[in-house]
Amino acid sequence: MMRFRVLITVLLAMSILILGSLRFMRAASAPPVQTGDEARRAPVLVELFTSEGCSSCPPADALLERLDRSQPVSGAQLIVLSEHVDYWDDIGWKDPYSSHEYSERQGAYAAQFGRGSIYTPQMVVDGHFELVGSDERRATQAIENAAKAMKTPVTISSILSDEKTLTLRIEAGPLPSSVTAQSASVFLAMADNADESQVSRGENAGRTLKHVAVLRNLIRIGAVDRTAGFSRDMKVDLDAEIRRNMRIAVIIQEASAGRVWGAGLTRLSN
């Protein structure tokens, strides 16, 4: 009986030691907890559809600039784009930054949101929330909600090969497992850091209008799905003047105007 009790005691002690070792091994192998900026910087894409021919647009332009400059939403890295539509161009003033491509993009969003028409200024957050572009309260709410979603990691690194050639290394992970979409497109967006116009005609005649992150080119460069990511080196030809006033974003988005599942940004140095 004594030997039996000793044996039980030894077995219990060994079990405790084994369990403790397993807990230690699990803790040691667990990924490190992100802290500080790593944990709080979920990328959120904020698009503003605007026009220099629209008298209601300057307050929205100013709001987009504040969001870009101050990054006021905890938990979000705001990646902003100003997309100038062309359907105001025949009403007194032709917007020098307008493109029919951005009008079509806004129309695709309208179809997604079930809207029968398009309007300016309109803000679209992560391809999932839409609102009047000058409504700061609703914009903040939409950004806070968008920052809670799981995102595909995106990295952009740049190397200036020579005075006129920029080499970009673009990498993106697969879609989050919670995403129901089978795949998403990878878009490269090239935008001016800032632009300014002296408007002489139309609804904003006599005003000096300032814009931030004015989209100049948006191209599809690949795709990701739930099992495979994306990696590509790209060469971009730039002259010195353009390079001083440019930022480059990469967007992971369902279809051409669907939900945004990731984004990244790099600003070119002077």
Side-chain angles (χ1 to χ4, degrees):
M1 180 65 70
M2 180 63 68
R3 289 179 181 177
F4 182 69
R5 288 176 179 173
V6 170
L7 179 60
I8 291 175
T9 302
V10 171
L11 289 174
L12 286 172
M14 290 178 63
S15 298
I16 292 171
L17 287 172
I18 291 171
L19 288 172
S21 298
L22 289 173
R23 291 192 185 110
F24 176 80
M25 290 172 63
R26 282 197 295 266
S29 62
V33 176
Q34 291 182 323
T35 59
D37 287 344
E38 290 180 333
R40 63 179 292 274
R41 302 283 283 175
V44 175
L45 180 68
V46 180
E47 300 173 79
L48 177 66
F49 293 94
T50 184
S51 172
E52 290 191 344
C54 161
S55 61
S56 300
C57 288
D61 297 330
L63 173 58
L64 193 72
E65 189 278 331
R66 289 198 305 274
L67 292 175
D68 180 62
R69 172 174 42 82
S70 62
Q71 297 286 317
V73 180
S74 177
Q77 177 201 5
L78 305 187
I79 298 173
V80 309
L81 289 175
S82 177
E83 301 176 33
H84 290 234
V85 297
D86 69 343
Y87 49 83
W88 281 89
D89 284 358
D90 296 328
I91 313 175
W93 174 255
K94 180 175 172 56
D95 188 327
Y97 312 109
S98 65
S99 169
H100 188 64
E101 178 183 356
Y102 309 141
S103 299
E104 291 181 339
R105 181 170 174 82
Q106 188 184 23
Y109 275 134
Q112 174 197 326
F113 295 132
R115 298 191 63 91
S117 60
I118 54 180
Y119 66 93
T120 55
Q122 182 188 34
M123 190 172 285
V124 176
V125 177
D126 262 0
H128 191 58
F129 306 95
E130 70 91 16
L131 56 125
V132 174
S134 55
D135 190 335
E136 187 167 2
R137 182 184 63 83
R138 286 192 61 201
T140 300
Q141 291 176 344
I143 293 165
E144 289 173 345
N145 288 330
K148 297 174 185 177
M150 293 291 294
K151 297 294 179 69
T152 294
V154 175
T155 59
I156 312 169
S157 53
S158 60
I159 301 172
L160 189 63
S161 302
D162 54 47
E163 291 184 356
K164 293 187 176 182
T165 304
L166 179 73
T167 300
L168 297 173
R169 176 71 173 176
I170 300 169
E171 296 179 285
L175 290 173
S177 58
S178 58
V179 175
T180 58
Q182 296 300 312
S183 65
S185 295
V186 182
F187 292 96
L188 179 70
M190 303 180 71
D192 294 345
N193 277 317
D195 284 306
E196 181 176 309
S197 291
Q198 306 291 331
V199 180
S200 60
R201 296 181 302 278
E203 292 189 0
N204 290 310
R207 301 185 66 173
T208 299
L209 300 183
K210 297 181 179 181
H211 314 288
V212 66
V214 179
L215 186 61
R216 306 311 295 268
N217 200 7
L218 182 67
I219 57 173
R220 185 183 184 276
I221 59 173
V224 298
D225 58 32
R226 284 183 286 181
T227 60
F230 173 86
S231 179
R232 180 175 173 182
D233 290 336
M234 297 188 64
K235 288 188 176 181
V236 181
D237 293 329
L238 302 171
D239 61 38
E241 182 178 353
I242 293 175
R243 191 170 65 247
R244 283 194 297 269
N245 188 37
M246 177 163 285
R247 62 181 68 184
I248 295 174
V250 172
I251 303 165
I252 310 297
Q253 185 170 29
E254 291 182 34
S256 60
R259 184 77 179 262
V260 172
W261 291 114
L265 176 71
T266 186
R267 301 171 190 261
L268 304 189
S269 63
N270 292 337

